[in-house]
Amino acid sequence: MTGTSGLEMESMELERYTEKAYLDYSMYVINDRALPHLADGLKPVQRRIVYAMGELGLNNQAKFTKSARTVGEVIGKFHPHGDAACYEAMVLMAQDFSFRYPLVDGQGNWGAPDDPKSFAAQRYTESRLSKYAELLLAESKQGTVDFVPNFDGAYQEPCLLPAQVPFVLLNGGTGIAVGMATDLLPHNMIEVLEACIYLLDKPKATVSDLMKIVKGPDFPSEAQIVTPFSEIEQIYLEGRGSIKSRAVYAMENGDIVISGLPHQSSPVKILEQIAQQMSDKKLPMLVDLRDESDYDNPVRLVLVPRSNRVDVNRLMSHLFATTDLERSHRVNMNMIGLDGRPATKNIREILVEWLKYREQTVKRRLNFRLEKIIDRLHILQGLMIAYLSIDEVIQIIREEEDPKSELMARFELSEIQANAILDLRLRQLAKLEEFKIRGEIQELEVEQKEINKILGSRARLKTLLKNEFKEISRDFGDSRRSELVSVEEAMAFSEEDFITNDPITVVLSEKGWVRVAKGHDLNARDLNYRSGDAYSQAVKGKTNESLVFLDSGGKTYNAAPHSLPSARGQGEPLTGRFKIAENSRFVGMVIGNEATEVLFCSDAGFGFRGRLGDTITKARSGKSCLSVREGVSALPPCIVPSSEKTVYLAAVTNQGRLLVFDVNELPELARGKGNKIINIPKASFSSGEEKLILVEVFAEDDILVVGAGQRHLKLKHSDIVHYLGERGRRGKKLPRGFQRVDTLMKEAD
């Protein structure tokens, strides 16, 4: 369109414009900022830093130079962005706790594992390239890579660096692009180069084959990798997943000494996490912790157990689960491939593609060298002609106005050869120089022949690559730091693990209010109860046992004794904890372990023996246990004691009938109605005339106490014989005055 100014303007739909702008920005972030390249394992800013330092001559043998000088060189020539971001990228490459094989050798404060960003300003630190950077730059001047103009066209910079090892695996890296991210873990150089050699010998090798050599990542820290090998193999096959690493610890004089932490874990943060748990009284088995790290021991955290009876392995399992002593490292092998496109690759695809790049690089290096040899031989051949005809050459130089043209015409020389002859110094005309030239020609011809053999044979090229890998592995490789171990999964302490086995008494009121008191000496009947409420039941047990309540509808409910309110108050209603049916009420409770045998029965005269473990539930609505029909109510449960002698069940009706029989006559069930305990005529029960009101389970040597108001009848075994009968019988009447029974209990003889 044409505007009022007369200038031509391009018109574009807003949708197309925004789409193009977004895609352009996305590709810029992906290719030029966030993702490393498979070839050299570097992001653009990292590549430019390494190259600029190489151009400044800051190799591993050079003097340290102010980092500000390097940063200025980088942003001034190659990377026109902020100096802070550039310096931070440089710092990362210098931190031996961030990079497995650091590319920058720093002097000064370059941060610490506690706070990687606590490094000093660039004007205070000094730097140079590390020895590992040699593996990136050594071949950069040998025609191995393409150069492109920098941002303003004033300088040339390499598109990629001729990496001699796959740094994309060795150092790994992280990055967040637009719509994608990368998380590459570091690996051991020796293992990776061995895998490359294996792949050259066996191109059809699978991921499983390569995993026999590269067993997993190798972090800069000495943490243990605890992810099962089968899972690691699957991650390396898919290129995605998560790998766990765990701190290394040992016992020294009764103390727990942590000497290695997971990658990127902060010792200070870990101590804070442990200290917080100690403050919250979640680690009563620890009494002290110290940080004894120093120059000789970069990581040395000391945990002091309360006594030598502390289960150290269980304690550390808890700390692994609740602190940064164990960390998960995300894996996403996303990178820019040789085709210039981002993609997630498995370990085999990475190595195959990198070996392709390395072969191309070596071929370019050999061809470059071959061209240099040919050029040098050309010059040397011209010099030999000059030496063989030295007198004539001297005469031409002295007498001819244009000696170069005359030399070219007389001896059929090229311009390059003629210039080389003319540039000769007088001392180079000695006889010894002739022998040197002949020797150099022979050496170059031998080298030329060897290079041509390599370029003409894939097998020879593979041999060259393997020999180079072996040499690099010998000169630069080191042993694995992160050991792969098989361990149990970390597990945090549960609330129950901190519960002691102190004696307690749980008190239940008639209205369903509950509370707990320490010890077994409590007289529950003397406690203060709410208006209109009264004592119902008290049970004795321990804080680490299971407490089960039973409602009139036959449902059980579970509560932890330590979670109940103190008996100093009036307690709390169970209806606040549990969802009970509208017409139901709580009738009783029992406490014990899961194997504890319990008697469940109803006022209709039916019941069974069950295990406490079968009644435990986390549901607020309870768990069906005793089946009762309409008009029938469950009675308070009671524990069946274990005894070498006969254990009896005593059942009393409201008519004063007592029946005693061996409790084993009742079946053991998980749930149900049970069997008949005492015979109550249906008509009598339906009319409300007779029902079962009390039961008690006691051993043969116990005394059964029958209470009727203020009167008590104590029945020894000799007295109980009179009331013994088969299960399901009517029982016998108690003596006059004791037929209105209101309590039934046992006491030791």
Side-chain angles (χ1 to χ4, degrees), residues 593-655:
N593 55 48
E594 293 187 0
T596 300
E597 192 173 343
V598 183
L599 172 68
F600 296 97
C601 57
S602 67
D603 60 3
F606 291 84
F608 63 89
R609 293 180 295 125
R611 298 289 174 180
L612 194 62
D614 294 331
T615 68
I616 295 174
T617 177
K618 293 182 179 180
R620 290 187 70 245
S621 58
K623 182 178 182 180
S624 295
C625 177
L626 181 67
S627 299
V628 295
R629 68 177 190 272
E630 188 176 353
V632 179
S633 173
L635 294 180
C638 56
I639 293 189
V640 179
S642 58
S643 175
E644 294 180 357
K645 297 184 178 181
T646 306
V647 177
Y648 294 104
L649 188 159
V652 178
T653 70
N654 59 344
Q655 295 290 334

Side-chain angles (χ1 to χ4, degrees), residues 168-233:
V168 71
L169 285 177
L170 299 186
N171 280 327
T174 61
I176 301 174
V178 179
M180 62 180 65
T182 184
D183 292 280
L184 293 162
L185 300 185
H187 293 79
N188 184 268
M189 183 182 294
I190 293 176
E191 292 180 358
V192 171
L193 290 179
E194 284 182 5
C196 289
I197 294 172
Y198 185 84
L199 204 54
L200 287 172
D201 290 332
K202 299 181 179 179
K204 295 184 179 180
T206 64
V207 171
S208 297
D209 296 331
L210 296 174
M211 289 292 294
K212 295 176 183 176
I213 303 170
V214 184
K215 295 180 173 60
D218 187 25
F219 297 107
S221 62
E222 295 180 358
Q224 296 176 331
I225 297 172
V226 297
T227 301
F229 182 77
S230 58
E231 293 184 19
I232 297 176
E233 186 176 348

Side-chain angles (χ1 to χ4, degrees), residues 368-433:
F368 180 82
R369 177 57 183 166
L370 190 60
E371 291 176 4
K372 293 293 183 181
I373 290 174
I374 293 172
D375 292 342
R376 182 59 179 168
L377 284 173
H378 182 65
I379 292 173
L380 292 174
Q381 288 165 359
L383 293 177
M384 280 303 301
I385 293 173
Y387 280 109
L388 293 174
S389 307
I390 188 64
D391 294 336
E392 191 174 356
V393 169
I394 292 172
Q395 185 181 0
I396 292 173
I397 294 172
R398 291 183 63 185
E399 297 177 358
E400 296 292 333
E401 293 183 3
D402 189 3
K404 183 169 72 173
S405 300
E406 187 62 26
L407 287 172
M408 292 171 64
R410 183 77 60 88
F411 300 106
E412 297 181 355
L413 301 174
S414 68
E415 186 175 355
I416 295 174
Q417 291 173 319
N419 286 330
I421 294 171
L422 292 172
D423 291 338
L424 282 173
R425 297 179 180 179
L426 287 174
R427 64 182 178 183
Q428 292 178 299
L429 299 177
K431 188 68 176 177
L432 185 61
E433 288 294 326

Side-chain angles (χ1 to χ4, degrees), residues 88-389:
E88 188 170 336
M90 182 179 174
V91 169
L92 188 67
M93 293 192 290
Q95 294 175 337
D96 57 4
F97 51 85
S98 296
F99 266 42
R100 180 65 174 82
Y101 300 97
L103 300 177
V104 176
D105 185 11
Q107 187 170 267
N109 178 11
W110 290 82
D114 284 335
D115 186 5
K117 294 191 177 183
S118 62
F119 49 85
Q122 55 185 298
R123 61 182 179 273
Y124 299 121
T125 62
E126 297 178 339
S127 57
R128 65 184 180 187
L129 291 172
S130 73
K131 65 176 183 178
Y132 300 110
E134 180 184 335
L135 299 173
L136 285 166
L137 294 173
E139 300 173 346
S140 60
K141 304 294 186 182
Q142 300 178 24
T144 53
V145 293
D146 296 326
F147 283 77
V148 295
N150 70 334
F151 62 91
D152 62 358
Y155 302 94
Q156 295 285 312
E157 63 175 316
C159 297
L160 300 168
L161 292 180
Q164 294 175 260
V165 291
F167 275 104
V168 71
L169 285 177
L170 299 186
N171 280 327
T174 61
I176 301 174
V178 179
M180 62 180 65
T182 184
D183 292 280
L184 293 162
L185 300 185
H187 293 79
N188 184 268
M189 183 182 294
I190 293 176
E191 292 180 358
V192 171
L193 290 179
E194 284 182 5
C196 289
I197 294 172
Y198 185 84
L199 204 54
L200 287 172
D201 290 332
K202 299 181 179 179
K204 295 184 179 180
T206 64
V207 171
S208 297
D209 296 331
L210 296 174
M211 289 292 294
K212 295 176 183 176
I213 303 170
V214 184
K215 295 180 173 60
D218 187 25
F219 297 107
S221 62
E222 295 180 358
Q224 296 176 331
I225 297 172
V226 297
T227 301
F229 182 77
S230 58
E231 293 184 19
I232 297 176
E233 186 176 348
Q234 190 63 31
I235 291 169
Y236 279 44
L237 180 63
E238 298 176 356
R240 292 187 178 89
S242 178
I243 291 177
K244 289 183 180 178
S245 65
R246 180 179 292 185
V248 178
Y249 72 94
M251 299 300 297
E252 290 186 12
N253 301 321
D255 296 337
I256 305 168
V257 179
I258 300 170
S259 57
L261 297 177
H263 182 46
Q264 297 177 334
S265 290
S266 166
V268 171
K269 184 179 179 182
I270 289 171
L271 290 177
E272 289 176 352
Q273 291 171 335
I274 299 174
Q276 185 62 50
Q277 292 192 46
M278 293 174 67
S279 175
D280 296 340
K281 298 184 178 183
K282 294 181 178 179
L283 288 175
M285 64 289 295
L286 279 182
V287 294
D288 192 19
L289 67 160
R290 303 188 298 272
D291 186 356
E292 297 183 356
S293 306
D294 54 25
Y295 183 81
D296 296 324
N297 301 286
V299 177
R300 183 178 170 85
L301 307 182
V302 181
L303 311 181
V304 184
R306 184 173 296 278
S307 70
N308 56 8
R309 295 188 300 274
V310 173
D311 188 344
V312 173
N313 292 331
R314 182 69 185 91
L315 168 62
M316 293 305 298
S317 178
H318 167 78
L319 293 177
F320 290 144
T322 58
T323 70
D324 285 349
L325 287 174
E326 180 176 292
R327 291 192 64 177
S328 291
H329 307 275
R330 188 172 59 181
V331 179
N332 183 11
M333 297 182 180
N334 188 18
M335 64 198 72
I336 306 295
L338 297 183
D339 58 359
R341 298 179 179 179
T344 298
K345 308 175 187 290
N346 63 36
I347 190 167
R348 184 184 183 279
E349 291 169 338
I350 294 172
L351 291 176
V352 168
E353 195 167 342
W354 183 83
L355 283 172
K356 181 181 177 183
Y357 173 73
R358 185 58 189 160
E359 285 186 26
Q360 294 172 354
T361 302
V362 172
K363 284 182 179 179
R364 292 183 66 168
R365 186 191 76 199
L366 293 174
N367 281 312
F368 180 82
R369 177 57 183 166
L370 190 60
E371 291 176 4
K372 293 293 183 181
I373 290 174
I374 293 172
D375 292 342
R376 182 59 179 168
L377 284 173
H378 182 65
I379 292 173
L380 292 174
Q381 288 165 359
L383 293 177
M384 280 303 301
I385 293 173
Y387 280 109
L388 293 174
S389 307

